[in-house]
Amino acid sequence: MRKSLWKKVTLVYICLCVIIILIITTTLINLYYANNSVDNLLAANYKSITAASYMMNVVEEQNNSILNYIDTAKQSNIEQFLINSNDYYKWYDIENSNITEPGEKVLVDKLNTAYSNYFNVSTASIKFRNSNGVKSALKYYTADVIPIYNDVKLDLKSIAKLNENAIFQRKTNLTQASKKSAIYILLLC
């Protein structure tokens, strides 16, 4: 009877040890995959932030080109404006193909509309400068170009902020999940 009871206790103990080892192994594997998933999502968010930053720089350069053209009427400023437009669309395509957050697509579409308007009024200011002179072109620029330019910048900042907030939220969630997992592992051991 003692041997039978001892065998049963030993068998239960071995089973519990195997279950604990399985739980710990599963937890560690899940943590590993969760960490890799978060890293991939963070990389995507950083890609969007970088694209927004480059687009912001390009738009600022375009704005400078327009102002320089209004002031000097040098053809090189128009050429630089068009080169910057190509650069802008290169980064826009990267951002548009890297939608990771809820609401980001809406912001990217809004940005596309605002930038198209900005491009159109900027090119109109070039024509306006050629036909009406510097003072009239500056008035047109101030009244029509600047508000749309500010809209484009605001949209770019919103995209960057959305992705930054997502990064911070994921970091917080991962920290909380890691702490919970560590506590569960300790309790099981």
Side-chain angles (χ1 to χ4, degrees):
M1 173 115 160
R2 273 184 137 178
K3 283 187 174 183
S4 173
L5 183 60
W6 181 253
K7 285 181 182 179
K8 288 179 182 177
V9 169
T10 305
L11 183 62
V12 169
Y13 179 75
I14 291 172
C15 287
L16 287 174
C17 287
V18 168
I19 290 171
I20 289 172
I21 290 171
L22 285 173
I23 290 172
I24 290 171
T25 303
T26 304
T27 302
L28 292 174
I29 290 170
N30 287 337
L31 283 174
Y32 173 78
Y33 286 118
N35 192 28
N36 284 343
S37 297
V38 169
D39 287 345
N40 291 338
L41 287 172
L42 292 178
N45 288 113
Y46 280 123
K47 190 175 182 182
S48 290
I49 293 168
T50 301
S53 176
Y54 278 112
M55 284 187 284
M56 180 77 76
N57 291 338
V58 167
V59 169
E60 288 172 357
E61 288 177 19
Q62 283 186 297
N63 197 52
N64 290 338
S65 294
I66 291 299
L67 281 172
N68 287 335
Y69 182 79
I70 289 172
D71 185 42
T72 65
K74 289 185 181 175
Q75 187 66 27
S76 61
N77 292 313
I78 295 174
E79 292 166 3
Q80 187 60 48
F81 178 84
L82 296 174
I83 290 169
N84 287 338
S85 180
N86 290 335
D87 289 344
Y88 172 86
Y89 278 113
K90 177 182 92 171
W91 288 106
Y92 175 81
D93 289 341
I94 290 170
E95 168 57 26
N96 192 37
S97 65
N98 190 49
I99 305 295
T100 58
E101 299 307 314
E104 188 172 4
K105 181 65 176 158
V106 172
L107 288 173
V108 170
D109 290 343
K110 183 178 175 210
L111 172 65
N112 187 39
T113 301
Y115 182 78
S116 294
N117 291 339
Y118 172 72
F119 185 86
N120 291 335
V121 296
S122 294
T123 54
S125 71
I126 292 169
K127 294 174 186 172
F128 203 84
R129 192 310 183 180
N130 292 337
S131 61
N132 297 321
V134 175
K135 287 185 181 181
S136 295
L138 280 174
K139 285 181 184 176
Y140 177 84
Y141 172 83
T142 303
D144 293 1
V145 177
I146 289 289
I148 298 172
Y149 168 72
N150 289 333
D151 288 345
V152 170
K153 286 176 54 174
L154 183 64
D155 291 342
L156 288 167
K157 287 177 185 176
S158 296
I159 291 169
K161 188 68 174 167
L162 176 71
N163 282 281
E164 287 171 8
N165 289 342
I167 288 171
F168 293 130
Q169 185 61 46
R170 283 193 183 97
K171 180 183 179 278
T172 302
N173 292 347
L174 181 60
T175 301
Q176 290 172 350
S178 295
K179 286 178 182 177
K180 284 180 184 177
S181 295
I183 291 169
Y184 291 144
I185 289 170
L186 288 174
L187 290 175
L188 289 174
C189 295

